[in-house]
Amino acid sequence: MTGREKDFGVVAKTMLGAFAMGLATVVSVTPVCLILVYMDRLGPWWFPLLLVYFALFFAVKGLVFIPIKQRRLHAVIGSEMFYRMYPQELKKALRRVRRVAQPERESEIAAYRDRLIDTETDVRNRKRSRTGTVLTVVAAVITGVLALCCLFGVYRGMQSGVKTDLARIFHVASTAVMLTVPVAVFRQSFKMIPQIAASVLLGFTTWADIANKLTKPTIHTMAPVWEDLIVLGVFIVAGVGLVMLAKYLKDGANTRRKQQEFALAMYELDVIDEKELDYRFRYEDERA
């Protein structure tokens, strides 16, 4: 293959990739638009259809695209950096390795595990981590209950025959995103994207209800606006504030035990050899 043919192949691959990304955006958004446009014809089935679509969309993304992205990142940055960034993936890898017996290494691994000693900082970090876990559960429960209340409000409006307008669409969209937040609270890989999206949509919902109050003479109450502000405030406190505080408490400091546990995990995964493992244990012991 000549240099010109290689250049053409690279250009063609880049163009096809860009076209595929644009087409994927259109394909993923079109069903949502169709459901919202024909919601009056679909009757009470439009909302379950919307939830099913979102569930399928995130399931496909989680099962197909996220693992592909993580494998590519793993190959680029190496095992140590990857497992430091994704501790959940480290736990999965260790479970896979530990299913297979390693009799030639069990005594060495046990000996190094016996050398793990808790320091005062380790004990303090464990208490902080438990507090962070409790806050995470509280945040997930509050956001889940809030999402269910909004879902009931959407259902109540559907039963009373509320007409579809911009505020109604934002109510539906924000509720659909809020239903994913309790799961995202426990998944650090999402990096609070659902919380940010839900907060923005709730802000647009409030703005749309204010616009309805100002432009429609038939609306004489500010109740929808106050409800939107309460939901937005509670969501920001629980879904953003508590989650950030829980993450701060869980992170803690890289203590000696943490570093040694990570080094031992790398040894179990054949990322480092015993010589490197022994050096890291001795280095952490001397530093402490």
Side-chain angles (χ1 to χ4, degrees):
M1 182 180 293
T2 63
R4 181 174 296 180
E5 291 175 342
K6 289 182 180 179
D7 292 340
F8 176 78
V10 171
V11 172
K13 186 177 180 180
T14 303
M15 292 180 64
L16 288 174
F19 176 76
M21 290 176 63
L23 184 63
T25 303
V26 174
V27 171
S28 61
V29 172
T30 299
V32 178
C33 295
L34 290 175
I35 291 173
L36 294 178
V37 168
Y38 293 103
M39 61 192 305
D40 293 333
R41 296 186 183 180
L42 292 172
W45 293 103
W46 70 269
F47 195 71
L49 284 174
L50 190 64
L51 292 182
V52 169
Y53 173 74
F54 276 117
L56 291 175
F57 178 81
F58 285 110
V60 170
K61 182 179 179 180
L63 295 174
V64 178
F65 295 105
I66 291 180
I68 293 174
K69 178 183 176 182
Q70 288 183 341
R71 283 197 296 270
R72 291 176 178 173
L73 182 64
H74 192 173
V76 172
I77 66 177
S79 295
E80 283 204 49
M81 185 65 69
F82 177 79
Y83 288 128
R84 286 189 188 275
M85 291 175 60
Y86 297 97
Q88 296 298 326
E89 295 301 318
L90 175 59
K91 293 179 181 178
K92 293 178 184 178
L94 287 174
R95 282 198 295 267
R96 288 194 298 267
V97 169
R98 289 168 181 172
R99 290 195 193 106
V100 181
Q102 304 181 62
E104 71 281 357
R105 305 174 66 186
E106 287 180 358
S107 59
E108 298 170 358
I109 293 173
Y112 279 103
R113 194 167 286 130
D114 291 337
R115 291 172 59 180
L116 297 172
I117 301 174
D118 282 337
T119 62
E120 293 182 3
T121 308
D122 289 313
V123 177
R124 188 165 56 250
N125 279 354
R126 266 200 294 274
K127 291 181 180 178
R128 286 163 52 100
S129 181
R130 283 194 293 267
T131 304
T133 301
V134 172
L135 290 178
T136 300
V137 174
V138 171
V141 171
I142 293 176
T143 53
V145 171
L146 195 65
L148 291 177
C149 291
C150 292
L151 179 62
F152 177 74
V154 171
Y155 176 76
R156 186 179 58 185
M158 181 179 62
Q159 292 295 103
S160 60
V162 176
K163 293 184 179 180
T164 302
D165 56 7
L166 192 59
R168 176 84 167 155
I169 292 174
F170 279 130
H171 272 287
V172 174
S174 60
T175 301
V177 177
M178 283 175 64
L179 289 171
T180 68
V181 171
V183 178
V185 167
F186 293 99
R187 295 291 302 274
Q188 297 182 3
S189 57
F190 284 110
K191 295 181 180 178
M192 299 188 72
I193 293 176
Q195 287 97 313
I196 295 172
S199 299
V200 172
L201 288 172
L202 287 172
F204 281 133
T205 302
T206 305
W207 168 80
D209 278 329
I210 293 174
N212 283 345
K213 176 65 176 66
L214 295 176
T215 58
K216 296 181 180 180
T218 56
I219 299 178
H220 303 289
T221 177
M222 287 286 290
V225 177
W226 290 117
E227 290 178 3
D228 294 339
L229 290 173
I230 291 172
V231 170
L232 178 60
V234 173
F235 181 81
I236 290 177
V237 171
V240 180
L242 286 182
V243 172
M244 292 179 66
L245 179 59
K247 187 177 184 303
Y248 169 75
L249 292 174
K250 283 183 175 182
D251 285 345
N254 286 322
T255 60
R256 175 179 62 181
R257 184 183 179 98
K258 269 190 175 183
Q259 295 288 1
Q260 290 178 339
E261 283 179 343
F262 184 79
L264 185 57
M266 293 298 97
Y267 175 68
E268 290 188 62
L269 296 176
D270 280 331
V271 177
I272 62 176
D273 56 16
E274 186 184 358
K275 184 178 179 181
E276 176 67 18
L277 176 64
D278 182 65
Y279 169 77
R280 295 191 185 189
F281 263 69
R282 286 189 290 104
Y283 173 77
E284 293 298 331
D285 288 337
E286 293 172 0
R287 194 177 66 164

